[in-house]
Amino acid sequence: MRKLIRCYFVILGIGPLYSNAQENPKFDDNFNLWNIQTGQQATVFVAKAYVRKQPNLKAAITDSLSTGNVVTITSPPFKGNIIKNFYAPWYEISYCEGGIKKTGFIWLGLLALGKQTASDGSQYIYGFERFTKSSNEQEQDHFSTAVKILDAKGDFLAEHAFPFAYLEQTFSQSKLLPAMGLQNVKQIIRIAFLGEACGIPSEYYYVAWTGQHLVDLPGRYAVSDAGVFYYDEKILFPSEHGKKNQVIYKYIEEGEVIDDNAKNPNFKVTKRTEAFQWNGLDFEKLPTFK
């Protein structure tokens, strides 16, 4: 299970970056992680998504859609609701069912954040299940996030959940990668939550598909504050580094400004490397390596 204490770390003595306390997250009606525009298609993420007659929870339910169903966004956002412990807007949609075009309204949080389609037609979709408040001080409040894979016919194959501690990242991206030299892996999906402002981290999750299971791989994290510090991780897979077989390397670099020259700040830079052994089903961190 992924640890949720990243944003408590101290970078070269600078101190905690973020507080664990967080109210129910509210995604802006016009700009959010989904970045859906009028006329675009979107994919239903949850097992059952209700379509309503009007954009609110009191409106009558006119239909329900399932994971993988595709809808077209036909309106700008409408004022939203808090569902699954987070706020998101409503959209008017159109879709086809049995050859008949239908319309209605859907809450944004029921739709996938993104989708990737493999060459064999299988689909990787990811999104939020709900926002979860932490039960102890060792973990952050987080989104229970999941990757789901469907076959070419749209039938469910597997699902894998991981926690994502939302810290005002502004957009999300995903990309399908090949096996990258890892045995028993068919494909890897990389999911990124990216921050554009100083102090807002970018986090990359890698999930491998073995043909039977979706499995966590080591992730990557980066954050910086111009003129103060930076922290950056880089992941290299066996097909990229050409070193030890079935070993994933993580290269970590940290920098802290040690003078007051605003135009050309000098950084005190430290570097280290971590290594993880992949056994075809899971990975473990190596204590020492050459």
Side-chain angles (χ1 to χ4, degrees):
M1 181 178 179
R2 295 183 191 274
K3 294 183 179 179
L4 292 173
I5 57 174
R6 280 187 180 275
C7 293
Y8 282 102
F9 67 74
V10 177
I11 300 181
L12 300 174
I14 293 171
L17 294 178
Y18 298 98
S19 169
N20 187 48
Q22 190 172 160
E23 299 298 326
N24 296 101
K26 180 177 180 179
F27 291 107
D28 185 84
D29 290 345
N30 293 291
F31 187 76
N32 51 59
L33 285 171
W34 286 259
N35 195 27
I36 291 178
Q37 306 297 319
T38 303
Q40 288 185 339
Q41 289 189 326
T43 303
V44 173
F45 178 70
V46 299
K48 180 180 285 189
Y50 289 125
V51 179
R52 295 182 181 269
K53 191 172 183 179
Q54 296 294 329
N56 62 73
L57 287 174
K58 294 181 180 180
I61 296 171
T62 59
D63 204 352
S64 65
L65 299 172
S66 303
T67 305
N69 288 162
V70 175
V71 301
T72 299
I73 304 299
T74 59
S75 75
F78 292 84
K79 182 179 179 181
N81 287 106
I82 294 176
I83 306 173
K84 298 179 181 291
N85 295 329
F86 66 95
Y87 173 96
W90 293 81
Y91 283 88
E92 186 175 28
I93 59 169
S94 65
Y95 58 99
C96 288
E97 190 174 85
I100 300 173
K101 183 178 179 179
K102 295 186 175 183
T103 62
F105 294 85
I106 197 167
W107 184 66
L108 180 62
L110 303 178
L111 301 177
L113 287 163
K115 177 173 71 173
Q116 293 290 333
T117 303
S119 58
D120 64 0
S122 58
Q123 301 174 54
Y124 296 75
I125 61 175
Y126 68 99
F128 295 146
E129 299 285 2
R130 65 175 52 251
F131 183 71
T132 302
K133 293 281 189 177
S134 172
S135 59
N136 61 73
E137 295 182 354
Q138 299 304 311
E139 294 184 346
Q140 285 185 286
D141 299 343
H142 62 276
F143 279 98
S144 297
T145 311
V147 180
K148 299 178 182 181
I149 183 169
L150 312 176
D151 66 16
K153 297 179 180 179
D155 294 328
F156 177 84
L157 293 177
E159 178 178 359
H160 174 72
F162 60 88
F164 162 59
Y166 173 65
L167 294 165
E168 299 184 6
Q169 286 87 346
T170 51
F171 63 103
S172 176
Q173 293 178 342
S174 63
K175 183 177 181 179
L176 276 185
L177 305 175
M180 306 301 288
L182 299 178
Q183 66 180 7
N184 199 37
V185 170
K186 292 184 175 296
Q187 277 187 308
I188 298 168
I189 182 169
R190 184 186 70 196
I191 298 168
F193 296 98
L194 305 172
E196 295 179 303
C198 289
I200 303 299
S202 293
E203 191 151 10
Y204 300 78
Y205 296 85
Y206 295 81
V207 180
W209 172 237
T210 68
Q212 293 183 314
H213 305 285
L214 288 163
V215 185
D216 263 335
L217 295 175
R220 176 192 167 202
Y221 186 88
V223 65
S224 66
D225 192 348
V228 180
F229 71 90
Y230 69 87
Y231 177 95
D232 185 67
E233 297 176 345
K234 183 177 295 183
I235 292 287
L236 287 183
F237 291 97
S239 64
E240 296 174 305
H241 60 66
K243 297 179 181 179
K244 281 193 172 183
N245 188 34
Q246 304 307 312
V247 173
I248 302 167
Y249 290 98
K250 179 185 290 189
Y251 298 97
I252 302 168
E253 182 174 317
E254 303 177 54
E256 177 190 13
V257 170
I258 56 174
D259 63 26
D260 296 325
N261 188 334
K263 292 184 177 180
N264 273 312
N266 290 321
F267 282 86
K268 175 185 177 182
V269 177
T270 59
K271 298 180 181 181
R272 66 183 188 275
T273 303
E274 295 178 351
F276 306 86
Q277 181 73 53
W278 172 254
N279 63 14
L281 296 173
D282 203 353
F283 71 89
E284 62 176 352
K285 186 175 180 180
L286 298 175
T288 58
F289 62 92
K290 295 182 180 179

